[in-house]
Amino acid sequence: MPDPDDTALDETYSGYVGVADGRLYYEEAGDGEAVVLLHAGLVAAGMWDPQFGALAAGYRAVRFDARGHGRSSEPGGPFCWYEDLRGLFGALGIERAHLVGLSLGARVALDFALAYPDMVGGLVLASPGLSGYQFAGEVERRSREMTEAHDRGDNERAVEIFLQMWTDGPSRKAWQATPGVRDRVREMALANMRRPPAPAVDPGAVVARELEPPAIGRLREVRAPSLILAGEKDMPDILVIGELLAGTIEGARKVVLPGVAHMLNLERPTVFNQLVVDFLGRV
């Protein structure tokens, strides 16, 4: 993986905050306006390594592992992604923050901005998911294959499918991805796949509660200045979502990064960082 930003972190604080029926692992560094980083599904806060130091140079940068990921606790029953984020805000004394999310993280950031608009400054929505959007075709088929592989205990195969979808993209071979990125994503995804479920929990009871009504029909309500970032080689459904957000959220700006797929912050860290810092400076 290319060196992104060598910004040194003088002090990084880490720990756990309690949320409903669980706890979240977090790290923070820097001073100033808060910027909270929300990672993609099946990885962890470590995906923000190329951004964390760069943002901490001018902001209070916070990253955390979502429920069921990294060092945070497994869900023991129904839970809510954006309410977990609200709990993190409360525990860390954050009244208002800019949100930078990728994939699932972008989806959660957008839901949070709709549920708690006064708590959000700017929104950076990279390779965005969207609550209420129904995936079909290749995403639905390959996701089902991944779940089936995991259910039969073949985590290596499940992670390989994940990498083909969300690191390589539909039009690239594994060797065409930026060197080192695939290995880093694989490491995080495999660690999450191998996590044991919470003790004595019915897997069918572990449901992520959605924003109601979902964000797909409420995009014109978004008040926060928004930057949409897309990778040219991403899955078609994600590119459709990016266009929908850019065309519906008032004042949203969209930038497409050529030659990269879903994990664009890891493939083009220097460009990604500059786009985010410039956007936050204008906000």
Side-chain angles (χ1 to χ4, degrees), residues 176-219:
Q176 293 176 299
T178 302
V181 171
R182 207 176 196 270
D183 290 342
R184 180 67 181 118
V185 175
R186 182 183 184 277
E187 176 187 355
M188 290 185 284
L190 193 56
N192 281 320
M193 280 281 186
R194 289 172 171 166
R195 288 170 60 109
V201 168
D202 174 9
V206 180
V207 177
R209 292 185 287 106
E210 299 285 359
L211 178 71
E212 290 294 342
I216 192 169
R218 302 173 58 185
L219 297 178

Side-chain angles (χ1 to χ4, degrees), residues 100-253:
V100 180
L102 188 144
S103 195
L104 171 65
R107 172 178 170 159
V108 175
L110 187 53
D111 285 354
F112 185 87
L114 288 165
Y116 299 104
D118 293 336
M119 302 184 75
V120 178
L123 282 172
V124 178
L125 307 173
S127 307
L130 175 63
S131 62
Y133 182 89
Q134 297 299 313
F135 287 99
E138 185 175 4
V139 172
E140 193 278 332
R141 177 180 62 82
R142 303 237 63 195
S143 296
R144 185 172 63 251
E145 291 175 2
M146 185 174 71
T147 299
E148 290 169 352
H150 174 63
D151 289 347
R152 66 174 180 264
D154 191 352
N155 290 329
E156 294 280 353
R157 176 58 184 160
V159 168
E160 179 58 29
I161 295 169
F162 176 80
L163 292 171
Q164 290 169 5
M165 294 172 65
W166 303 121
T167 305
D168 306 339
S171 64
R172 299 192 305 181
K173 303 297 184 183
W175 59 268
Q176 293 176 299
T178 302
V181 171
R182 207 176 196 270
D183 290 342
R184 180 67 181 118
V185 175
R186 182 183 184 277
E187 176 187 355
M188 290 185 284
L190 193 56
N192 281 320
M193 280 281 186
R194 289 172 171 166
R195 288 170 60 109
V201 168
D202 174 9
V206 180
V207 177
R209 292 185 287 106
E210 299 285 359
L211 178 71
E212 290 294 342
I216 192 169
R218 302 173 58 185
L219 297 178
R220 296 191 187 280
E221 298 176 29
V222 177
R223 303 203 315 245
S226 301
L227 173 65
I228 317 301
L229 299 178
E232 177 194 20
K233 303 293 187 180
D234 207 343
M235 299 294 285
D237 275 328
I238 299 297
L239 297 177
V240 168
I241 291 172
E243 292 209 4
L244 179 61
L245 299 184
T248 312
I249 297 174
E250 183 176 355
R253 178 187 175 218

Side-chain angles (χ1 to χ4, degrees), residues 14-26 64-76 79 81 84-85 87-88 91 195:
S14 63
Y16 291 87
V17 300
V19 291
D21 301 318
R23 63 179 193 163
L24 304 177
Y25 173 80
Y26 77 95
F64 70 102
D65 293 333
R67 185 94 63 127
H69 295 69
R71 283 169 277 193
S72 293
S73 62
E74 282 291 317
F79 69 103
W81 301 110
D84 278 357
L85 181 57
L88 180 81
R195 288 170 60 109

